Amino acid sequence: MTLPSAALGVSGWLELLGSRCHYLESGTANSGPPLLLLHGTGLGGAALTYAELLPRLARHRHVFALDWPGYGASGDDTFDANSRPSKEEESDDGESAYSVARYRRYLAAFLERLALGPVDIVAFSMGAAVALHHALAHPAQVRRLVLIDAYGLAGEVYVPLLPRALASTPRFPGLLWRALRRRWFLRAVLQSFVFTSRHPIPDDLLTAVQSEVVRPQSERPLLSFLGDDLGWWRLRTDLSDRLADVTAPTLLIHGSRDLITPASRSRRAARRIPRAELFIVPHCGHWTPRQAPATLAEAIERFLQQPSGETPDMSEDTYGQDEHTNSEQPYI
């Protein structure tokens, strides 16, 4: 296990739901409501996702960044790397230990143990679905909500049929993950489908992602999550019919070229959430916290500093758009 750099803050540990939870803490206490960062599923934990964004936000806020079970420094203590998923790794309703339902309980337990009070939450991808669930279930605990490239805003499966079929075969996902350990293949996948950019992936970022991919059983949380949530035609996590019930002021940030969760879903959500603001980041794919951290930090700080009674401007606050912004067509 490799602990995050001290530049990202100090490490804290908690026992939550039978797992050893790691989190980062940075910034100045008593500098406004605590700010909680939640990462997504797939490539690494909080330190990898927020390496560029966390220090910027911690200049003015008291920041916590949680590692989900199986990710970052929480990963090594979450399961036995030599065993298959067990009944103990399932929630009471039979869902995977790496499901949105399980993460929802994990987040609630984390906030309760630290007694943080009302918090601002910045959440990315799958973590955004967890944060949105929490804001709906516990509205008094969430002051403001920032959803980045959010998962769970719609139920349609945004994956072409052939990759879906391959993902359902027993061995293919594991073979694909092992292929990602090859640096050239990992670079191609990141550039084509995650960053969606012609610009080369920085070598230091590629090395950091590769170090996560080669970790024993690193594919387990992602593949378990997909097996739990990805159906043939619908996603299990679909909050589209509950968006009108969100009471927290919400900023939706989305990369205009996101091929994993299309920006059109955040556009629709911004029209349904009562106090929502939309920010489209042009020429970015899915991993905007790594592609445009300075732009995100500026937008997030502006949003979080708004007076509590102020209604956000719903004038689609964009820094431009490109030809991919409104597309709901899956990649080929």
Side-chain angles (χ1 to χ4, degrees):
M1 176 180 63
T2 302
L3 290 175
S5 164
L8 295 179
V10 298
S11 289
W13 303 90
L14 293 171
E15 293 290 332
L16 298 175
L17 306 183
S19 299
R20 192 166 187 239
C21 159
H22 172 262
Y23 64 94
L24 290 165
E25 183 176 358
S26 185
T28 306
N30 302 319
S31 56
L35 177 59
L36 176 61
L37 308 184
L38 302 176
H39 66 84
T41 188
L43 300 173
L48 184 57
T49 300
Y50 293 114
E52 301 291 337
L53 186 57
L54 189 156
R56 289 175 165 86
L57 296 176
R59 292 170 186 166
H60 308 292
R61 298 295 296 270
H62 189 193
V63 179
F64 296 81
L66 173 64
D67 277 332
W68 298 120
Y71 289 98
S74 291
D76 294 338
D77 299 299
T78 302
F79 53 79
D80 178 356
N82 297 315
S83 69
R84 292 178 175 272
S86 65
K87 292 294 183 182
E88 287 72 24
E89 288 180 327
E90 296 182 347
S91 61
D92 294 338
D93 54 11
E95 291 172 312
S96 160
Y98 307 112
S99 67
V100 169
R102 182 71 168 179
Y103 290 148
R104 288 166 56 191
R105 289 188 284 276
Y106 204 77
L107 173 58
F110 177 78
L111 292 173
E112 182 179 4
R113 284 287 301 276
L114 290 185
L116 293 180
V119 296
D120 292 330
I121 299 181
V122 173
F124 168 68
S125 193
M126 179 277 296
V130 180
L132 192 53
H133 265 295
H134 191 82
L136 286 163
H138 308 282
Q141 294 182 10
V142 180
R143 192 188 76 103
R144 285 181 177 263
L145 192 59
V146 179
L147 307 178
I148 305 173
D149 303 308
Y151 179 84
L153 299 179
E156 301 87 359
V157 174
Y158 187 68
V159 179
L161 186 59
L162 179 58
R164 233 180 304 165
L166 291 172
S168 67
T169 60
R171 294 190 177 183
F172 179 78
L175 290 173
L176 179 60
W177 192 267
R178 284 193 289 276
L180 288 173
R181 295 172 181 172
R182 300 183 179 222
R183 193 174 180 89
W184 68 268
F185 186 68
L186 177 61
R187 185 191 297 274
V189 169
L190 287 176
Q191 189 159 334
S192 299
F193 300 113
V194 180
F195 278 53
T196 325
S197 171
R198 296 174 184 172
H199 299 291
I201 304 298
D203 283 338
D204 58 341
L205 175 57
L206 188 64
T207 298
V209 174
Q210 190 174 31
S211 68
E212 289 291 328
V213 172
V214 301
R215 190 164 54 86
Q217 298 291 322
S218 58
E219 75 278 11
R220 188 169 182 169
L222 173 61
L223 299 186
S224 180
F225 168 77
L226 292 176
D228 182 80
D229 213 75
L230 180 63
W232 278 104
W233 310 113
R234 303 288 300 178
L235 300 173
R236 179 193 290 262
T237 303
D238 176 10
L239 292 163
S240 57
D241 62 348
R242 301 192 62 195
L243 296 177
D245 298 327
V246 177
T247 59
T250 301
L251 173 63
L252 295 120
I253 299 177
H254 221 111
S256 65
R257 297 183 178 184
D258 191 341
L259 293 178
I260 297 174
T261 57
S264 57
R265 299 191 174 187
S266 280
R267 288 185 178 277
R268 290 201 302 266
R271 292 193 291 268
R272 297 177 183 177
I273 297 173
R275 304 170 67 191
E277 186 173 351
L278 177 67
F279 184 88
I280 299 294
V281 187
H283 314 301
C284 279
H286 186 64
W287 213 3
T288 51
R290 292 306 306 245
Q291 287 182 270
T295 299
L296 262 64
E298 180 183 349
I300 291 169
E301 288 176 348
R302 177 184 60 82
F303 174 74
L304 296 181
Q305 290 170 3
Q306 289 176 353
S308 58
E310 183 174 323
T311 302
D313 177 13
M314 261 302 300
S315 59
E316 288 203 0
D317 184 11
T318 71
Y319 279 176
Q321 8 181 65
D322 58 32
E323 68 275 15
H324 295 278
T325 299
N326 294 308
S327 173
E328 183 82 8
Q329 295 300 315
Y331 59 84
I332 299 174

